[in-house]
Amino acid sequence: MTTFTALTTLGDETRAQALGEALEELDPAPVGVGVFELEDGSGLWEVGAYFTDTPDDIALTLMAAAFGAAEFAVSELPDIDWVAHVRRELKPVEAGRFFVYGSHDADKLPVDRIGLLIEAAMAFGTGHHGTTLGCLRALDRLASGGFQGKNVIDVGCGTAVLAMAAAKIWPDMVLATDIDQVAVDVAEANVMANGLDGRVECLEAMGFENPVIHKRAPYDLVFANILKGPLIQIAPDMAKHTETGSLAILSGLLTTQASDVLAAYTAAGFTEVEREEIGDWTTLVLRRA
């Protein structure tokens, strides 16, 4: 099956979201539409649509002009088994005591490592990206230093790899949340696949806005591997849902964005414990003062 992509960028989130909604009304209709903030510090938003029928170039040109976006770049994707391709490309990842792998590499799990099974089809949060890797390494260092999480939450959990890592080393229930129900469903499937049913609770929530989250506070460890904007936005709520001595592992931010995020959390009552830079990405470990 032939798949076409149509991608553009613009500098305003509101217009980007509106353009994404408008794309869904095209004929032929796209099979999927995505709106994402580019993680390069440019402030631009990418709007993309995927089609199984050749998209209407004229309609796309008019739509880009109407919303003040750059001209759409339309491409035809090669007919590739992408899951098989990803399986070949994604090798197991070691992060301290943790070993993140797909089922096709199950025979490579070392006996002295804690395995985290994440299938290649669920590519976001496999541990290969510098942000997830940084969070796993930070967790490993905290545990090696004697910290034991007794009330842990993973905000914006994606595949729930961080929540599962915590549940693998500590006995208490871990909470994993995401704003997208599809991500929550993926997280639940991963929890089951890793034999952690009943150990990791997955639910849909925007930041800390959920009665279950409020009831279980205060948390002694918070993961938030999301983007700069949401990280800054939830800083006051994270302070409200933690207490003196609580820790936070933050990532999803470029190294150039770390100072802005740290400033927001310093204002909210956190102090920096450590940081790690992996490529262009930074992971911060903070303590609630």
Side-chain angles (χ1 to χ4, degrees):
M1 180 179 66
T2 301
T3 302
F4 299 88
T5 64
L7 302 174
T8 186
T9 57
L10 63 166
D12 179 82
E13 179 182 3
T14 300
R15 285 188 289 117
Q17 296 290 352
L19 176 55
E21 293 177 6
L23 282 169
E24 296 178 356
E25 304 301 321
L26 281 178
D27 183 21
V31 295
V33 174
V35 180
F36 305 97
E37 183 180 13
L38 296 180
E39 298 178 340
D40 59 2
S42 66
L44 292 175
W45 289 74
E46 180 180 83
V47 181
Y50 296 83
F51 301 84
T52 53
D53 295 312
T54 305
D56 186 334
D57 287 339
I58 295 176
L60 288 172
T61 298
L62 293 174
M63 194 170 287
F67 286 89
E71 185 175 351
F72 277 95
V74 179
S75 304
E76 181 179 341
L77 295 179
D79 187 11
I80 292 175
D81 183 342
W82 288 105
V83 172
H85 177 74
V86 169
R87 283 177 174 169
R88 289 194 298 271
E89 295 299 320
L90 291 185
K91 304 303 182 184
V93 173
E94 291 192 61
R97 72 193 68 195
F98 302 109
F99 187 88
V100 187
Y101 67 100
S103 58
H104 57 290
D105 284 321
D107 60 331
K108 298 177 182 177
L109 175 61
V111 295
D112 61 343
R113 293 292 187 270
I114 295 172
L116 294 165
L117 172 62
I118 303 290
E119 290 295 7
M122 310 302 182
F124 182 77
T126 58
H128 293 77
H129 197 276
T131 57
T132 308
L133 179 60
C135 289
L136 287 171
R137 287 180 177 177
L139 173 60
D140 178 67
R141 289 192 295 272
L142 288 177
S144 295
F147 177 82
Q148 180 169 331
K150 297 180 179 179
N151 192 14
V152 179
I153 183 171
D154 181 3
V155 178
C157 65
T159 60
V161 63
L162 301 178
M164 293 191 299
K168 288 271 190 176
I169 61 175
W170 296 319
D172 294 287
M173 172 75 76
V174 178
L175 195 57
T177 75
D178 204 284
I179 62 173
D180 181 7
Q181 185 58 50
V182 173
V184 174
D185 293 341
V186 168
E188 289 177 339
N190 286 330
V191 167
M192 293 287 290
N194 283 269
L196 292 169
D197 188 32
R199 298 288 321 288
V200 178
E201 180 181 357
C202 305
L203 58 89
E204 183 179 358
M206 176 75 75
F208 289 87
E209 294 306 313
N210 186 290
V212 175
I213 297 175
H214 300 326
K215 184 177 180 180
R216 289 191 54 182
Y219 299 92
D220 56 8
L221 176 61
V222 180
F223 293 106
N225 183 18
I226 47 181
L227 296 173
K228 171 190 171 182
L231 278 174
I232 291 174
Q233 185 177 1
I234 68 171
D237 278 343
M238 191 178 296
K240 294 176 183 176
H241 288 80
T242 53
E243 59 186 354
T244 300
S246 295
L247 294 170
I249 298 177
L250 311 181
S251 198
L253 60 148
L254 292 160
T255 298
T256 55
Q257 300 170 336
S259 59
D260 290 340
V261 172
L262 182 58
Y265 280 81
T266 299
F270 290 84
T271 59
E272 182 178 349
V273 175
E274 66 170 43
R275 70 172 65 194
E276 181 179 15
E277 296 178 4
I278 302 176
D280 293 330
W281 303 94
T282 292
T283 298
L284 297 172
V285 179
L286 310 178
R287 177 175 285 111
R288 180 81 161 83

